[in-house]
Amino acid sequence: MCRSALWYVFKTSGNAYILNRNAFFLIFRVFIFWGTVCDPYRTVALRMQCYHECYIYDFQSADDTYAFHYIPNDTSAVFMENVLLKVMNHSILDQLPTAVNVLRIEYSVALKWISVPQNLYAVEIIGTSLERIDFKANSAVKMLQIQVCDLVKVPPAMENAENLIVLEILRCKLLDLDMASFCENPFLRYINLKDNRIRYVVNTSKKHCGMYNTLTHFLLQGNRLTTVNMEQWNVFVKLDTLSLVQNRITSISGQLVQHKLQTLSLHMNRLKHISTCGWYVPSLKKVDFSRNQLTVLPECINNLTSVRKLSLGYNRLANFSIESVAGMSNMTELGLACNGLTAILLNSVLFPPKLAKLDVTKNYLTSLDLTFVPVKALEVHAFSNLISSFDVNGTSPNVSHAYMLANPFCCSWEMPFEWEHVECSCSHTITNRKASPHCP
C-alpha cells in the first residue's frame, strides 16, 4: 500500500468555534485524495470529504479502505457515490469505524452485491445494479431503502435483519411477493414496494409471523397486479394504510376484515365492479376508488359507515342519486368528478347526514337542483359541466359554497347566504353541449 500517495488536508471553517454542551469544539473539514501515484491503473482518484458526515467518491478497490481510518471518531454517517466495485463484501465494509451506523451508497451502477455490516442502523442504496444483499445474523439494521436496482425477489437474507422496522424497495425488478419473506422480521412496520413488476401476492407461511402484529403500512403502488384477494391482508392486525394504486387490477375478491385500517386506495386500476359486501372495517376513514372503470357504485358501499372521504372520480358513472350513499353516516366528502354524469339527484331526505363537500366537476350535467339540502353546510363544486338550468333563488340556505364556473350558466358564491345577492351570468364561450369535459 502506497501511503505516500495519500494526502490528508486539515482545514478550519474560518477558525470558527461553536459552543456545544458547555464545551468548545472545532468545526473542521477533512479532504483525502488517493492519487494515481499509488496505482497507475486507476482511472479516477478517490476523494473524501468529512464534515458532520463523510462523503467518499470513486471508491474503486479494497485498498481504498485505508481511507476509512481517516473518518473522524464522532462521525456516524458515511455517504458513498460512484462506487466502482461490483462486490462490496464484509472484508470491505466491516472496516468502517464502529461509530458509523448510517450508510448511503448512490449512483454506483457497477455495484451488484453488498454485504451489510452488522452494526449499521440505516442503509440506503440508490441507483445501482444491485442483485444481491446480505446481512449477518442479528443485524442491527432498522431502516433499509433500496431504490433503482436489479433485484427480482425479496432478498432471502432479510431473515437476518431481525430488527428491521422500515423497508423500501423502489423502482427495482421484483416479479412476485411472498409475504412469508418477512416472517422473521417481527418489528417490521412499514413496507413500500412501489414501482416494481410484482404480478401477484401470496403468503405461504404456515406459522404466525411476528410482523402480523406490527405492520401498519403496506404500499404496492405502480406494480402489475391483476387480481387481489382482500382476505390476505386480514392477518395484519394493526394495518393502517393499504395502497394498491396504479396496478392493473381487474377484480378483487374476499372479505376484508380489518379493525385498524384507516386508508384504502385502489386508485388508477381497471376495476369494473367492486363489492364491499362482508367487509368489516370499522376504522376506515378514506377510500379511493377513483380512476377505474366503474359504471355502478361499489356494492354494499353503505356498509362503510366510518368512511369520511369517498373518491369515485374518473370512472364511468352516468347517473347518481345521493340516496345511494345515504347510509354512509360519517362521510364528509364525496368525489364524483370526471364520470360522464348526465343526471344527479340531490333533492332527497335520504342524505349522508355529515356531507360537507360534493365534487361533480367536469361531467355532462345540464341542470343542478339544490333547492333541498338537509345538511347544515354543503360545499358544491360543479364547474366545467353543461349546466344551463339552475334556480339560484330557490337554492337551499344550507348550500354554503358553490363553484359553477365554465358552465353555460355560471353562478358561484363562497359565503353562506351570499347566493341571495350573487349575480349569475351566461357564458357565451360554451356553446357545444356535447363537448367532452377535459378529464386527463
Side-chain angles (χ1 to χ4, degrees), residues 144-416:
L144 173 64
Q145 184 190 84
I146 304 172
Q147 188 173 164
V148 185
C149 73
D150 289 337
L151 287 173
V152 296
K153 62 180 180 179
V154 175
M158 286 288 301
E159 64 182 13
N160 291 329
E162 299 175 2
N163 296 292
L164 193 65
I165 296 174
V166 175
L167 171 66
E168 292 188 307
I169 303 178
L170 314 174
R171 298 173 62 193
C172 292
K173 299 177 181 179
L174 301 183
L175 296 175
D176 51 60
L177 176 63
D178 186 349
M179 292 190 285
S181 303
F182 309 121
C183 208
E184 304 303 324
N185 306 113
F187 304 107
L188 195 57
R189 298 179 190 173
Y190 184 95
I191 297 176
N192 186 356
L193 303 178
K194 178 182 177 182
D195 293 336
N196 279 275
R197 303 174 183 180
I198 298 171
R199 299 164 297 174
Y200 58 86
V201 178
V202 297
N203 187 357
T204 62
S205 177
K206 303 299 182 182
K207 64 179 182 179
H208 185 276
C209 301
M211 57 105 176
Y212 291 169
N213 300 323
T214 59
L215 194 72
T216 61
H217 290 71
F218 211 131
L219 312 180
L220 284 165
Q221 178 176 340
N223 280 283
R224 300 179 182 180
L225 300 174
T226 56
T227 60
V228 175
N229 183 351
M230 302 302 287
E231 292 182 3
Q232 64 189 340
W233 311 106
N234 293 346
V235 295
F236 302 109
V237 297
K238 292 186 178 180
L239 191 64
D240 174 276
T241 300
L242 175 59
S243 174
L244 301 170
V245 170
Q246 200 176 355
N247 276 269
R248 303 172 183 180
I249 302 171
T250 57
S251 66
I252 60 173
S253 61
Q255 298 179 357
L256 182 63
V257 179
Q258 273 289 341
H259 292 261
K260 300 291 185 180
L261 188 68
Q262 295 197 40
T263 302
L264 172 64
S265 184
L266 282 155
H267 168 77
M268 201 175 290
N269 279 286
R270 302 174 183 178
L271 290 163
K272 296 181 179 180
H273 174 264
I274 297 175
S275 173
T276 63
C277 299
W279 286 20
Y280 182 70
V281 281
S283 300
L284 194 60
K285 300 294 187 294
K286 295 175 63 177
V287 178
D288 191 348
F289 293 143
S290 63
R291 290 190 184 273
N292 278 280
Q293 300 172 16
L294 300 176
T295 56
V296 295
L297 289 179
E299 194 175 350
C300 300
I301 192 68
N302 280 295
N303 289 347
L304 308 183
T305 56
S306 62
V307 170
R308 296 177 183 175
K309 181 177 181 180
L310 175 61
S311 299
L312 291 167
Y314 295 83
N315 277 286
R316 300 176 182 178
L317 305 174
N319 301 282
F320 177 79
S321 169
I322 199 67
E323 296 175 350
S324 61
V325 292
M328 301 185 72
S329 54
N330 284 290
M331 183 169 62
T332 60
E333 185 173 342
L334 174 60
L336 293 166
C338 283
N339 262 287
L341 288 172
T342 57
I344 185 169
L345 173 64
L346 300 174
N347 191 354
S348 174
V349 293
L350 299 177
F351 208 96
K354 295 184 180 180
L355 189 64
K357 181 178 179 180
L358 173 65
D359 185 1
V360 291
T361 297
K362 295 182 180 179
N363 281 289
Y364 296 109
L365 299 175
T366 57
S367 63
L368 189 62
D369 186 352
L370 298 176
T371 56
F372 180 74
V373 175
V375 291
K376 292 182 179 180
L378 180 65
E379 180 178 316
V380 179
H381 292 248
F383 54 85
S384 293
N385 274 272
L386 304 173
I387 298 171
S388 58
S389 174
F390 180 71
D391 183 5
V392 63
N393 294 320
T395 297
S396 168
N398 293 331
V399 180
S400 57
H401 301 69
Y403 304 95
M404 294 173 56
L405 296 175
N407 280 283
F409 185 83
C410 301
C411 206
S412 299
W413 59 91
E414 298 183 354
M415 296 289 291

Side-chain angles (χ1 to χ4, degrees), residues 1-2 34-35 38-47 56-68 80 82-89 91-93 95 110-111:
M1 185 174 295
C2 186
W34 191 295
C38 189
D39 184 355
Y41 298 103
R42 289 190 70 99
T43 57
V44 292
L46 176 73
R47 294 178 294 132
I56 301 174
Y57 305 90
D58 307 321
F59 193 98
Q60 186 166 328
S61 71
D63 287 341
D64 290 348
T65 57
Y66 186 79
F68 293 165
M80 304 180 74
N82 194 32
V83 172
L84 299 172
L85 290 172
K86 289 184 178 181
V87 178
M88 295 192 77
N89 54 29
S91 66
I92 293 176
L93 291 177
Q95 296 190 50
L111 186 62

